[in-house]
């Protein structure tokens, strides 16, 4: 048995909050009876749920690994008319959304799904899903700075947890150092802020890995579906 508003949001009717409002407004019937109170439990396989008179259908779940280009915003609707991740999924009929977000100027791996349960599991701070970024910054970085980044940096919202940090390359022509960093948290603009702490402006930021998933074979601006095995593996974070 599951809460009615959760079943509604899992079926793609609306967010949980908006579903609660629809219930309060008397738009939802369970087995012929209008339900207005919150928290009613239903069995989506047995109970007949009507929203505005229309039978709720269980929606197939979709899981995509998207290689987000720079300059694209991670929202469904941008009021300033900027390009959004949804523009890349126009041919998919079901409503999907991003698991977490990447800054407009960050590129790389972003999961997209309509599975609210999995999205909630992966985004929960206690789950510590590893996220690996390739960071390019102007200038050379001292080993002591790399060690400090790994040990933890005092940001405005507290100390960062230990991270894995590797020096990859210094390009004498462009003057850019490339570093790979794996963090286990997901605070707002975290990687940029960690480098800014030392006065480094991030020139390019790309998420190359999320949990065990990599960008391998997925070109910038394209996506692929996850396999059933990959989805099952992600559910192990539960
Ligand atoms: N850290 C950032 O600073 N930006 C992102 O988009 C992701 C992680």
């Amino acid at each position: 048995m599951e809460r009615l508003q959760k079943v509604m949001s899992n079926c793609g009717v609306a967010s949980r909050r908006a579903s609660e409002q629809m219930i309060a407004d008397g738009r939802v019937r369970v087995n012929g009876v209008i339900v207005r109170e919150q928290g009613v439990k239903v069995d989506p396989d047995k109970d007949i749920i009507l929203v505005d008179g229309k039978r709720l259908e269980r929606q197939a779940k979709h899981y995509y690994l998207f290689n987000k280009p720079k300059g694209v915003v991670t929202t469904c609707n941008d009021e300033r008319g900027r390009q959004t991740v949804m523009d890349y999924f126009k041919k998919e009929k079901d409503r999907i959304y991003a698991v977490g977000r990447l800054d407009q100027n960050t590129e790389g791996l972003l999961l997209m799904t309509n599975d609210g349960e999995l999205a909630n599991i992966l985004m929960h701070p206690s789950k510590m899903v590893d996220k690996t970024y390739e960071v390019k910054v102007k200038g050379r970085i001292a080993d002591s700075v790399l060690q400090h980044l790994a040990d933890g940096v005092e940001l405005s919202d507290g100390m960062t947890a230990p991270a894995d940090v590797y020096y990859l390359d210094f390009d004498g022509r462009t003057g850019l150092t490339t570093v790979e960093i794996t963090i286990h948290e997901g605070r707002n603009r975290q990687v940029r802020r960690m480098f800014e702490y030392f006065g480094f402006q991030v020139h390019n930021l790309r998420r190359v890995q999320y949990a065990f998933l990599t960008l391998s074979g997925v070109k910038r601006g394209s996506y692929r579906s996850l396999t059933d095995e990959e989805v099952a593996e992600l559910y192990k974070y539960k």
Side-chain angles (χ1 to χ4, degrees), residues 101-103 106 133 183 187-193 205 207:
R101 65 185 211 81
L102 290 177
D103 297 337
T106 302
Y133 297 86
I183 59 172
R187 300 193 219 164
N188 194 21
R189 295 186 73 255
Q190 179 168 343
V191 175
R192 288 177 199 277
R193 289 191 292 136
L205 184 58
R207 182 148 77 189

Side-chain angles (χ1 to χ4, degrees), residues 41-187:
K41 297 235 168 124
V42 293
D43 181 342
D45 292 322
K46 293 211 187 93
D47 292 320
I48 296 173
I49 304 163
L50 302 184
V51 178
D52 293 335
K54 199 163 154 259
R55 179 90 189 255
L56 216 88
E57 309 266 6
R58 266 203 191 261
Q59 207 177 42
K61 297 282 185 271
H62 305 286
Y63 306 88
Y64 303 109
L65 187 163
F66 177 46
N67 187 348
K68 179 181 112 51
K70 233 176 172 173
V72 176
V73 287
T74 314
T75 48
C76 300
N77 243 314
D78 187 60
E79 68 286 354
R80 287 200 261 152
R82 295 173 297 183
Q83 205 179 21
T84 77
V85 291
M86 297 318 303
D87 293 337
Y88 290 83
F89 289 87
K90 282 197 173 132
K91 71 177 169 69
E92 307 299 341
K93 286 191 300 297
D94 293 330
R95 193 180 72 99
I96 51 166
Y97 39 85
V99 178
R101 65 185 211 81
L102 290 177
D103 297 337
Q104 184 180 8
N105 278 329
T106 302
E107 55 180 323
L109 202 163
L110 186 64
L111 288 185
M112 307 283 298
T113 186
N114 59 350
D115 183 343
E117 185 186 3
L118 183 64
N120 283 333
I121 292 168
L122 296 175
M123 286 193 286
H124 196 275
S126 70
K127 299 304 178 194
M128 311 279 275
V129 178
D130 285 356
K131 298 153 199 102
T132 303
Y133 297 86
E134 189 193 86
V135 192
K136 286 190 192 293
V137 297
K138 197 87 187 157
R140 289 185 182 274
I141 305 189
D143 285 347
S144 58
V145 168
L146 297 180
Q147 188 60 49
H148 196 153
L149 283 163
D151 292 342
V153 179
E154 184 70 46
L155 298 180
S156 56
D157 50 359
M159 195 79 175
T160 60
D164 300 312
V165 181
Y166 298 100
Y167 166 87
L168 292 185
D169 174 56
F170 175 75
D171 184 336
R173 197 176 50 82
T174 58
L176 294 174
T177 299
T178 309
V179 173
E180 188 182 273
I181 179 167
T182 301
I183 59 172
H184 320 287
E185 323 163 84
R187 300 193 219 164

Side-chain angles (χ1 to χ4, degrees), residues 130 209-214 229-231 233-234 237:
D130 285 356
Q209 188 159 347
Y210 183 93
F212 55 89
L213 296 165
T214 71
E229 290 75 24
E230 287 169 333
V231 174
E233 201 60 32
L234 289 175
Y237 280 96

